[in-house]
Each structure stands twice: as structure tokens, then as C-alpha cells.
Amino acid sequence: MMAKKQDVRIPTYNISVVGLSGTEKEKGQCGVGKSCFCNRFVRPKADEFHLDHTSVLSTSDFGGRVVNNDHFLYWGEVGRTVEEGAECRIHVVEQTEFIDDQTFQPHRSTALQPYIKRAAATKLASAEKLMYICTDQLGLEQDFEQKQMPEGKLLIDGFLLCVDVSRGMNRNFEEQLKFITNLYNQIIKTKKPIVVVLTKCDEGVERYIREAHSFAMTKKNLQVVETSARSNVNVELAFNTLVQLIDKSRAKPKITPYYEALKQQSQLIAHAKDKYEFIINHCVTHHNESWMNATRKMQMKPEFQEYVYLEGTPKAKKLFLQHVLMLKDRHIDHLKNKYLNKLVLALDVLFPDLNEIENLNWPTAQQRLKTKQDFSGWFVVLSEMPWDKTDHIDKMDDDRIPFDLLAWKYAEDQFIKHLEKLKNERKRAEMRRAFKDNLASSPFITPGKPWEEARSFVMNEEFYQWLQEHEYQDIYSRHQREIIDKAKDQFQELLLEYSELFYELELDAKPSKEKMGLIQDVLGEEQRFKALQRLQAERDALVLKHIHFVFHPTKETCPNSQNCVDNKVEQLLATRFYRSSDRSHVNSHSDSSADKLNLVLLGKDGLAHELANEIRVLCTDDKYVLEGKMYELSLRPIEGNVKHRVNSFQTPTFQPHGCLCLYNSKESLYYIMESLEKLKESTLDRRDNHLAQLPLTLVLANKRESGGETLQTLRNHGQQLANKLQCLFVDVTSHSVGSGRNFSELQINQALKGLLDTMKRNLNLVSSSPSIKDLTDADLRIVMCLMCGDLFGVDEVLLSIIQPHFCSSLQPGNSNSVMLELAIGAVRKRVELSVLSYHSSFNIRKNQLVHGYIIFYLARRKSSLAMLRAFLSDVQDIIPIQLAAVTEGAEVPESNVSRDQLEEGQEIAQEICGKFTVIPSGQPFPHNVEIFAPFFRDAAEKKTIVEASHMYDNAAEACSNTEEVFNFSPRPGSPLNNSNCFDYDEDTEGPPPYVALRDETSGTKDQSKLLMDLEGNDNYSLYTLGSFERLNNKVPPPVKPKPMVHFDKLMKKMDSSEGKEPGSKEMQRKPSTVSWAPSEDGSYTSDYAEPVDTLVRPRGDEENIYSVPHDSTQGKIITIRNSISAKSQSNGSGNGSDSEMDISSLERQRKLSSVSKPLLYRDRSKKLGKFASYRTSFSVGSDDELGSLSSQKKAEADSSLPKGDTTPNTFEPDGDDSKRGKLLRSLRRPTSRKPKPKPRPSISKSTWESNYFGVPLTTLVTVEKPIPIFIEKCIDFIDSTGLGTEGLYRVSGNKSEMESLQRQFDQDHSILLQEKDFAVNTIAGAMKSFFSELPEPLVPYDAQVELVDVKTSDKELKLNALKDVLRKFPKENYEVFKYVITHLNKVSQNCKLNLMNSENLSICFWPTLMRPDFQTMDALTATRTYQTIIELFIQQCPFFFYDQPITELISAVPSSPTSNTSFQCSSPATMMPSPPQSPPPTP
């Protein structure tokens, strides 16, 4: 019968749990598990499950409200969801029997029936009975939840009959089964459903379980459920089964076997444990974490809640503690490994020497460690041990090793490993040394031999088993670098030993194949030549580099580079003199007055006197204060003709230091220009031509009346003139000037400050003004030659020479010279001593007056004596020579080489009648001057004849230069210490049309032309190089005509002054050698030659008379006359034709041949001129890169020209002199070129077969890399290092270096230019050569036609039309063209540094990028158009390639390239730069 439900919607079932109960005698020492079974079902959480439920109670507990004097317990109400998903409520009652703790007999209650009858009751009543929770609740009911049994009574709906199948103590299972049988019989009478529950199955006995099942099988429809309250297995199933039996409408229950249910429960717990451990690992990361903090972090996480529900908080905490312990162990292991690793380092530092610890055991080694100075930095001694139990493990900032850790076994293992490592390292070091020694001693290991070939020579050696492959390769690579460097040094020394060969061949920058073959034949048998057999490219590069050094000898090209003698001498003299003489240099301008300045004020219309008055007003006692320093000013206003003595810049009492040029109109500006030109003309032939280089400042004065002239026009003209003169320009209009005044105080300060800065700057660079006594006025000029690379120090040579009692002052303008005051004979003379390297001496040997040479050589160095022989071969035999052999000590040298070279030096000195001395090195030279005293006396005695011979050569050269204006030797003598070289062969573009500053021929008497020059008039231009055709693409230097010498009278004078000289001999006329045109101080004013009128207008039958200073110190004048035969000008035309020049040349040659001329030392010594036979074996010149003719064809071509016309370089100046123009036109070489089919061949042709250069552009680019890697590397290099290089892309690089660069890149595309020693100009030239060698020009021919056809006066329409043509370029050409033009635009933005604006860049680049066919007249007439197109692309690069608006540009002063003598960078404005007036030179 179902009990009355309290809720009709949720069924409620009252279940009674019964089983064996009673005293210990009846049930044994423990119960059958009824209470645990009820506890697990009612309170399934693991934390609420209690294993101990006692039935022995005191009387008070038994009478409490929980037990309430009843022998049953009310466990409370539980809500459950059965299988169908329906909810139900279950009230659980446990029928037991409580024992009195005093009598150990059942307590007396209201029901006195035995347990069997009591347990089968279906109606239970107990007023105010409370729900039972646990044993601790008894007596403390108020501390627990209090819930009463509903209505104080329950109607039982079913019974759970518990049978304990475990092995109970003092209990017999048969008796229990008998008790259960009786109980079942009593319950069955109630007709309530019964389910047999086997408890404690986790400890169950298999026999008991079978017997229990047998018991159930004997009963009808009796279900058996195997359970375990401890493991929470099938507890819910037992109650659910009974509920399904109570409610007949439910399906028949499915009983799960115990072990299957246990497996499911175990899996559930294991899964929950895994998730819980994951949460612990995530939340607990430090071993010092507490359980409370961890619980606070995890309590809201379902993984934690699930595990605590199933296993309880104690087990969760246990897992937490295990995890923390694991973290601690892991931390200790980490520290241990860390300490062990650090122990390895500590042993390496504290015990680096194997000899110290090789025989020590570990305990002894530990004590040795304590004695080390750095012990405390590596180890810490703890007061407590062991270290892993102390708080040291938590000191993260202290990583020292606990010393007690060394007592562990693994610390000793580390020590043993350290010993083994040191032993292995010692052995490996021995093996590496053995391997290196083997490489050094093996004759089979040669420079350049790869490791794969060398391996076979070392495979059987012991060291081969010890070393690793990378060690072999590293040692071998380093050894190869050493022997290659050594071989290169030895080969360079070999080249120097054959200096005579190189100088006799007269090599130029691009030697012919015949000469290169001869060099290889001569050097081929040398072992040092063969040593680089595997490195032919590098050997060839060294030869070409040496040839470049011979052709263009400078400090930069010197093989010893930074150790060049010239550098050392400069540094030595700078430290010796500059600091003490800086002020004396400044004072040399002021007549020994420290702050005195002599200034010329040049200006007409009263400007000069007005400025002088303004300055005097600002002075106090003629003292002017400028930037805190006081100057004594002496002013000389000049307003008239400067050629008149009254208006002279210089007087006996006034020597100017600077000049202020004043103007406020075109007339006054013209006066300044005319006056400066007159000043320059008056000083051309004077030695004291410092006035032509006087520091200037141009001042624009305030203009009171406009007079039709705008202030901006005057400003532009003044700025242009200042740029031309390279002086400061001061604009008064930018300052506030009082009414009626032309000058302001601020303007005066600015002008004087700029002038003073210019004077100081010139003094630091070159001496532009003389001192009170002209320092160039020396009695003797002696050159001391030293070999670069000789091991004795330059300071040893100069130590005594530059002593104060010998050296009076430093020669200004020449950083390698000193001025000596020596007693030569009975007279003290001033001797200018230039200490130079041999290569610098070669430059001045033929160009400058030298009264004698002191030549040093190192006795034990063959190349030193070889260079001496090469130098001495071409020295005239009348010039005194002092040979100085430097030995290693005072003793007689033991080396055979030294002895032989000493003997050879003595023999040379005897043969040439020179002086010879031996100087020991390693100690100062105390008496250099005394040692050379005989030489100085000899030089003084021969001074007159040496000077006469020098003038003889210059006059003869001037005569030949009349018809051979621009003929030049393959190795022109450049000025002393000048490092500027001219364009090389591959630079096929002409130079920008610059005109050098202060052109000596640019003066004119026509005022209108000068003003037109200022205004950029097209009809007036200075002489330019624009029309030159260049041989070997070099810019020919100008040569001023020198006076003809009447040699018969000259030689009579020589013979009378030098009676000991030999008689007349057949004079051998040397080829004409023309030097570059240096300024008076020996330095260049421009990278390009200054064109001057070198032609002499014939005088008819009259004589040309010249006065040449003979002895400047004595004031002697030699009058030299040159009679020109009337026959040479009999035609009367005077046009200077080739035939006339030939006749004149032959006439003079016949006259000169009858006059005796000094010989060369090569003719007097058998030991000089060893390779003289090669001098005439080859024609001078280079192989023609543009398709050279054979030697025979060249000879035929030359023979077809008029004799004497050996130069193809002419120019035709603009002007009114028709005769001069006819003369120039007559000198032009007729040209005839064969038609060249398209595509046009490359401008330069490589001498090796290249797979990269000279191939179509499409083969070098891809879609991913549209720019050739070579171009990208070159432009990256120039962008990073070369944007400030002056003359970028205009000044060419070294030909040999450019070929070397291309060769190296051809072999390795990954070459890093920054790591190579290439100059910026070399990189730029190689990049231009790349485009020149392309089979097709970068700008396609069809596109060129369209570009030229774009003709419109509207600038915007023109630019858009060009942009449309640009879009038609092939994709590859467009991308590369865009890349290059963008780079050139960037270069032009730095034009203030590199002097290359867009116009100059276009002049240099358009022939390379476009290469038009010049066989057609259209191409020849469109050259200006080509250049303008490229200039527009560079200027408007953002518009053409990056869709930016059109840039408005204008030059500061409109000018033409022929008249522009200054450099202007474009700036944003409203007009484009004025185009040049003549087309640029064609390639």
C-alpha cells in the first residue's frame, strides 16, 4: 500500500533500511553498513560522507531529539530523478538498535518488541524527531542543521534489506544469513517491496556473495543489488530499484553488476582527477603556494567542484600538496642543473690551467677553490645544510653555488669532465699546431689550392683523427689567407723590383695587349709570379693596379697606402711646425704685427672712400674690434685704373692681405671685373703672383637711385660673379641702412669677418699670399727621394734636418717641404728641401726646376734599388746626385743581397759621378746636413747650368707645343702630391661644360661682352671643352705658350759658366710632354683642364724676344731670341695650317740638332736603363675600346695625317679672331668612320668572357627582382657613402679597379661592396659601364624617336607627352630606368656637396642611357634634345614615376654652360633651368 503523498505532483516514497543489528555478540565488532549506506545516498558529497556511525550511546544522547528514545534514525528527505526523467522525493529511515554505553544492553524505548518485529513496522511515529547527520551531532544538535521528520510519522513504502558480505570480525555469515531470513519472513508479511542490498562489496567475500544470491533466488521476485558505500557504487541503484518496485507503473529495473559499476565510477573519478590536476597546474605555479590561496583561486571552477564532490576536500588537498612538492622538487632540480652548469664555468675560470689541477683529487681541489680570489663571486657557504632545505633556494637574486653542493657525486663528475676537457683541449691544440705546421711546411699547399685537393696530403696524419671538419676548414682557410696575402705582398714587391720595366714601357691607364704580354713574359719565370697561378684574376688585378700606380702615382694609389712616405712626411712636418707656426703664418701678412690687416677697398663713384670713412668711424685709434679680437687696419681705397702706379694694389710700404670689392650699379660692377682682370694680367709672368689669388669679398652697397636697374638684377649679377670668383657675397639690402648711407655697421662686420675667414682658410690649405720675405725665393731646390715601404723611419732621416738651427721656416703651400739655411762654402744659402716618395719625385722630375737629388735606398731591399734605377735613368746628367744606402747597422752587412746592392749603388754613383754614402739605421742620423755638405756644394756650383738646361727644355717644349697643342704623354706628370686624376677610357661622356675659376684668357676689353656674360647672353662665352674630340677619352690639358729660346747664345752662356762640362753632342729630342696646368702653388683649381689660347700668332719676319729670369736671387736676365724663318711663312696666310707648322717644326728641329744638350744618366751608366730596348718596341697608347684597329692599320691611319698632327683634340673658341679660328680648324684631324649597324655595340668591351655584363637586360631581371643585382648594389653603395663625392659620375674611376670589380662580381654575385676597397668613382664608373655594355640602350631606339618628336612650348603638355612615351617602355626597361632616374634625382638633391645638379648629371648620363646613332644627321643635331630629355626626367622624377605634381625649378642665375663659371643648384621656382647653348660632347 502506497503511503499518502504530500505533493500530488512529485511522488514521495518512505524507505526503511534494515539489517543485522543488536549487541556486539549478535552483530560482531562492526555493523553491517546500514548507516554508511544511508549516509552515501542522502548526502552523496564526499565531504559529507562519514564512515564511523556508532550505535553505542549514552542515555542522554539516546534521549536527545535526534534519537528521541527510538531505535531508528531519520536520515532526511532526498530529491532524485529516476530513469524516465521524473522527479521524486524519498524519506530514508534506518532501523537499528542502540546499545547503552553503561550496560551494553539495548536502550529501553516505547517499543519493547524485538528488532525483527520492530524493523518490519510500516508505521513509524516520533514527535519532533530530528534528521540524523553524523555521530558528532548527538548532544550538539544546535550546531547542525535541524530538520524534523515530517508530521512526526512515516508510512513505509518499501524495505532495503542489507546483507554484509565482508569478512566481519566476530561474526558468522551463516548466522547473519539466518537472521536475514527471519527478518525477510517478517517483512514479507507486510507485502511491501523488498530489495536485498549486499553492502561492503569492496571488501566482499565471493562465497558470501554467492550465498546471498542463492538466498535471494529462493525467494520470489527478490532483487539483489551489490553496493559499496565507501566507493559509492550502486547506492543510487539500490534505492532506484526499490522505487521502481514500489511504483508499478515504472519499467522493470536494470541491475548493474558491481564490478561494472565500480569501473564506471573509477573512470568518472579518474576523469575528474585529471581535470582537477590540470586546474592545479594552471593555478598553482610556485612551490610556496598555500592551500588556502589555491582554494580561493579554484573554488569557482567546475573541475575543482566536481572532484571535491566525488573524492572530497582531503583528497583534493592531498593532490595539491603533491603538486606543490613536485614544484619544489622541480625547482631544486632546476637550481641543481643551474649550479652544475655554473660550476662548469667556475671551473673554467678558476682552474684554467691543467698543470695546476692535473694531479689533484676532488676534495683537495675544493680546498684549492677556497683560496681563489674570485671564490666568493662564484660560491656561497651556507650556515645550514643541506642547501635544498634552506631558504637559499628562494633567493632568486643570489645565483652563487652553495658550497655544500660540491660534496655531491655529480659535482665531482663535473670536475672529472673538466679535467678531461682540459686534457682534450691541450691535445687538440697540439694537433692544431701540428696541422698548421704541416700546412706551412708542405710544398704541396700553394695559394688558392682548395681544401678538397689538399685533404689527401693530411688524411694519414695523427691530427686528422682528432680534429673536426670545420676545424680543418677554418685552419686551412686562415692559412690560405695568410699565404695568399704573403704571396700578394711578395708579388707586389716583385712588381716594384721590375719598376724599370714598367717605366720604360711608358704605360697608360689602359695598356695594350702587346705590353701586357711582354710584362707577363718577363715576369713569367719568377717564382713569385707563379705562386699566384691559381689566382690569375687577382694577379691580373694587382698588375693593373700597379700599372695605374705607375701611370697615376699618388698617395692613394701607392701600394703602401697609409704608410706612404708622403703621408709620413706630412704628419712629421705638421707635428713639428704647424702648431708653432700657425700664428706666424698669419703674422706673415702683417709685417710682424700680430693683428695688423692691410685691406684694399676697390670701388668707383666714391664707394671706396665712403667705406673707408665708415670703417674709420667704427675704429678707435685705427683699431677695429671683431668678435672680441682687436685688429689694426690699414686701408687703401682705389677708384681708378689699377694699372697706374697711383692705383696699384701693392706699394713698397703696403702689401695687401685682402680686398673688399664694392658696387651699386652695372657700371661699378664692370669696373670691379675689369680691375681684377687687369690685376691678373699684370701678375701672370711674375713670381709673386699672390695678388691674383688675393682673398676677396664682394659687397652690394645700398642704391640711392634706381637708374632703371632693379635691385634683384644687381643681386643676381653680383651673386654670379661671387660664385665665379669663389668669394663671399654680402648684400647690404638685407640689413637696415640709415638714410643717405651706402653701408651699415652690420654689413661691414660681415664683410670683414668673411674676408678674415677666407684668409685663415687659405693659410691652412695653400699659401696664397707671401710673407715679408718670399719663401719661394730659395737659392737651391733639392728633392730628397725615399722609397715607400722601406723599414727605416722617415723621422730618422729628417731628425737633424729640421732642427731649429738649420730649418728657419716651413715652405708655405707645400706640406712636404722645409726651408733650410745652410752655410755652403763661405755663403749662407736658403735651400728648399722637398722630402718626397719616389712616385711623387717622378711627377716633378720633368716639370719643375730641381738643383739636385738626394736618393735613399734600403740596402737589403731589391725593389728600393730598382726604383732608384728607374728614377735615375731619366734624370739629366748635369743634375747633382747624392746616393744614400741605409743598412741595418754600423757593421758590414752579412746578407749577400745587402752587400751586392751596396756595391751596385757605389758603382752607379761612380759611373754618374755622384756622391755615395752609407747610413746605418736603427739610430738617429746626427749629422745628415754635414754628411751631405759636399753634395750641397756641388749643387750650388752647378746651379747656373741646371737652370739654363731647365729653361732650354721648357723653351723647346714651348716651341713644339706651338704645333702640338694638346699632345701629351701616356703618363703625364701631375703636380706634386696631387691626387686628382682625369677621366679614364670608359668614361665616354664629355665633362660638364665647366670653365675653371679665374681663366687666364677670359679677360676682355669689351665692357658689353662682360655685361652680357653676367646676363647669360648667348652670344658671349668663354672657351670651353665642348667641341673637343678626345683621345682615349681624356680631357687634354692646356699648355700656355712658353718663350722661344735662342739656344746658341744660351749654350754659350752655359759653356762660359760651366767649363768642365763635356763638349757638344748630338742632341736627342725627347717627345713633347705636356703637364696639367697647375696653379702657382702647385695645386689644381679644377678637375678639368682650363682651356686657354695656346696658339702663337705669327709675327712675320721679326724676331720673338723673351726675357727669362736666370737667377732670381741675383736679378740676372737672359734674353732669348727665336728667329722664325721667312720661309716658314712665305705663303703669307698666317693661318697656321698643318703644312706651315710642319715646316716651322722641321726648321727649328734642324737648328736644335746642332746645339749640345745634356744627356740622361741612363747614357752614362751601364746599370741604368736595363729595359731601355722596350721603350721603342711598342707604340705609345692604349688598345681602342671602341673597336681598335690593328697596329698596322693604326700606322697607316697615322701616316695619312699631316706630319706633326699627332693630337686629335682641338677646340674652336668663339670670338672675332678669324685667323685664330682658321688655325684651330686646320689642326683638326679628319675623321672617317665606317657605318655601324644596329644594335650599336657597347661603349666599352670587357677583356674577359662575362655571363653577366653585356647580356640582354631581360636575362638579368625577374618579376620578383626587377632590378639587376649589380645596379642595386652599386646604387646602394653610392647612396650610403658617396652622395657627397664631388664630381660624382663626372670624374671616372680607375679602369683596372673597375675591371677588377666586374670580374669579382662575375664570380660572386653576393659580393659586398662595403667590404671592398673600391673608390666611389670606381663604383659609379662600373655602373655606367654596365649600361654602356648592354646590347640595346636602356632607352629603346623607338622610344627615343618618340621622345625627340615631343615638341611643344607648353611645359605641362610636354611633360605629359613624355610621360605617355615613358609608359610604352618595355616593363624591364621601365623599372630599371625608374630606379636609375630616382637615384640621379637623389644625387642632384645633394648638388651643393657633389656639384652635380640635374643638368650636369644629364650631360654625363644621356649618351650612356640613350646611345643614339651618330651616323645620321638627325642624331647629331638632336644631341641637345637628348640631354634636355634626360634632364627633365631627373628634375621631374616625382611627376614621371610617382604621380606627384610638376616641380617648378629655376637656377639661381640663368646661365649657359659655356659661360657659367660657378655651380648652381636648382631651387623651386616658376621656371625651368636655362638650357646650355651648345650640345654636350658626344661619346
Side-chain angles (χ1 to χ4, degrees), residues 576-826:
R576 194 77 181 179
F577 285 96
Y578 285 170
R579 292 184 181 178
S580 61
S581 60
D582 280 345
R583 186 172 182 85
S584 65
H585 282 176
V586 178
N587 294 345
S588 66
H589 295 275
S590 57
D591 293 341
S592 302
S593 179
D595 301 313
K596 185 176 180 180
L597 290 179
N598 298 338
L599 302 181
V600 172
L601 307 182
L602 182 63
K604 66 180 303 185
D605 299 332
L607 289 177
H609 286 87
E610 181 178 351
L611 178 60
N613 293 332
E614 293 282 356
I615 295 177
R616 291 190 182 99
V617 169
L618 299 175
C619 293
T620 303
D621 297 331
D622 291 333
K623 300 293 192 303
Y624 188 91
V625 179
L626 184 63
E627 293 186 335
K629 187 174 181 180
M630 185 172 293
Y631 296 90
E632 181 180 351
L633 301 183
S634 295
L635 307 179
R636 180 172 175 78
I638 296 177
E639 297 187 352
N641 190 342
V642 296
K643 284 191 174 183
H644 296 168
R645 180 169 298 181
V646 68
N647 294 321
S648 175
F649 272 51
Q650 182 175 349
T651 67
T653 60
F654 183 87
Q655 187 161 308
H657 303 140
C659 176
L660 294 178
C661 303
L662 318 170
Y663 79 101
N664 62 356
S665 64
K666 281 188 177 182
E667 290 76 14
S668 56
L669 181 61
Y670 165 72
Y671 166 75
I672 290 174
M673 297 179 64
E674 185 181 37
S675 298
L676 294 178
E677 291 296 339
K678 291 178 180 178
L679 177 67
K680 191 172 185 180
E681 291 175 2
S682 65
T683 59
L684 282 179
D685 297 327
R686 296 174 57 183
R687 299 186 65 181
D688 56 343
N689 63 346
H690 62 281
L691 291 179
Q693 301 175 8
L694 195 67
L696 306 173
T697 295
L698 184 62
V699 180
L700 172 59
N702 188 30
K703 186 171 178 62
R704 299 190 182 100
E705 298 178 0
S706 62
E709 300 172 351
T710 64
L711 187 62
Q712 184 62 37
T713 301
L714 291 175
R715 184 182 292 115
N716 292 343
H717 292 172
Q719 184 65 61
Q720 183 180 359
L721 179 60
N723 291 336
K724 177 178 178 180
L725 299 175
Q726 292 186 352
C727 67
L728 178 67
F729 175 70
V730 178
D731 183 5
V732 70
T733 59
S734 60
H735 310 288
S736 58
V737 180
S739 176
R741 298 177 58 195
N742 284 330
F743 306 97
S744 67
E745 180 179 354
L746 181 61
Q747 184 186 22
I748 295 173
N749 280 335
Q750 183 179 355
L752 293 177
K753 182 179 181 300
L755 193 62
L756 191 62
D757 290 343
T758 304
M759 293 165 55
K760 292 179 179 179
R761 182 167 59 253
N762 290 349
L763 285 173
N764 290 333
L765 299 177
V766 296
S767 179
S768 59
S769 300
S771 62
I772 301 304
K773 179 173 176 59
D774 189 359
L775 295 177
T776 62
D777 190 15
D779 298 300
L780 294 176
R781 299 185 64 190
I782 305 298
V783 173
M784 180 180 289
C785 306
L786 294 95
M787 178 67 177
C788 298
D790 282 352
L791 297 182
F792 64 88
V794 176
D795 53 344
E796 298 179 15
V797 179
L798 298 180
L799 202 71
S800 62
I801 294 179
I802 61 176
Q803 295 300 324
H805 59 283
F806 289 133
C807 185
S808 61
S809 59
L810 188 67
Q811 176 65 20
N814 195 335
S815 56
N816 291 65
S817 299
V818 293
M819 187 67 70
L820 306 179
E821 294 185 2
L822 302 177
I824 301 177

Side-chain angles (χ1 to χ4, degrees), residues 63-78:
R65 293 186 59 188
V66 175
V67 178
N68 207 21
N69 293 320
D70 297 319
H71 284 281
F72 71 90
L73 293 174
Y74 172 63
W75 280 92
E77 180 184 19
V78 179

Side-chain angles (χ1 to χ4, degrees), residues 338-536:
K338 176 182 175 182
Y339 293 149
L340 289 178
N341 293 334
K342 191 167 185 179
L343 178 61
V344 175
L345 300 178
L347 293 176
D348 289 339
V349 174
L350 301 179
F351 287 152
D353 188 6
L354 177 62
N355 298 327
E356 180 183 2
I357 61 174
E358 187 173 12
N359 299 321
L360 297 181
N361 57 24
W362 179 228
T364 308
Q366 294 182 46
Q367 299 305 317
R368 181 70 62 86
L369 282 174
K370 291 184 178 181
T371 63
K372 297 294 181 179
Q373 183 177 1
D374 296 336
F375 173 79
S376 59
W378 292 93
F379 298 95
V380 56
V381 180
L382 302 175
S383 58
E384 298 179 2
M385 293 186 293
W387 67 274
D388 55 345
K389 303 299 182 183
T390 65
D391 59 352
H392 183 72
I393 63 175
D394 294 327
K395 295 180 179 180
M396 305 306 297
D397 56 341
D398 189 357
D399 60 347
R400 292 178 296 171
I401 306 171
F403 190 73
D404 60 306
L405 180 141
L406 302 184
W408 293 14
K409 183 66 172 60
Y410 43 73
E412 184 176 1
D413 294 340
Q414 292 296 333
F415 175 72
I416 296 174
K417 290 180 181 179
H418 179 67
L419 279 176
E420 292 298 324
K421 182 178 72 172
L422 291 180
K423 292 178 181 179
N424 290 335
E425 287 181 354
R426 182 165 65 182
K427 184 66 175 179
R428 293 169 73 86
E430 294 174 356
M431 294 299 101
R432 284 194 291 269
R433 285 194 297 270
F435 178 46
K436 187 172 179 62
D437 294 341
N438 182 275
L439 293 177
S441 61
S442 174
F444 305 103
I445 307 301
T446 57
K449 177 172 286 188
W451 166 241
E452 289 73 16
E453 297 182 20
R455 185 197 301 270
S456 58
F457 300 109
V458 299
M459 291 183 63
N460 297 326
E461 301 292 340
E462 179 185 4
F463 51 74
Y464 192 78
Q465 310 300 327
W466 275 87
L467 303 180
Q468 301 295 327
E469 182 68 20
H470 67 89
E471 292 180 283
Y472 291 125
Q473 295 182 359
D474 180 62
I475 296 174
Y476 187 78
S477 298
R478 283 189 279 111
H479 178 71
Q480 275 292 322
R481 286 196 295 271
E482 291 175 2
I483 63 176
I484 288 175
D485 292 342
K486 182 178 179 181
K488 287 182 177 180
D489 293 340
Q490 292 177 348
F491 183 68
Q492 180 62 59
E493 191 70 11
L494 175 66
L495 297 177
L496 292 173
E497 291 177 12
Y498 280 85
S499 296
E500 295 168 280
L501 171 65
F502 286 93
Y503 284 101
E504 292 291 355
L505 289 178
E506 296 186 340
L507 299 164
D508 61 7
K510 188 179 179 188
S512 64
K513 294 180 180 178
E514 293 84 354
K515 293 182 180 180
M516 291 297 293
L518 174 63
I519 293 173
Q520 185 168 358
D521 292 341
V522 174
L523 302 180
E525 298 302 321
E526 293 283 349
Q527 184 58 38
R528 286 171 287 180
F529 182 86
K530 297 177 180 179
L532 294 174
Q533 191 65 34
R534 290 178 175 267
L535 304 170
Q536 293 186 10

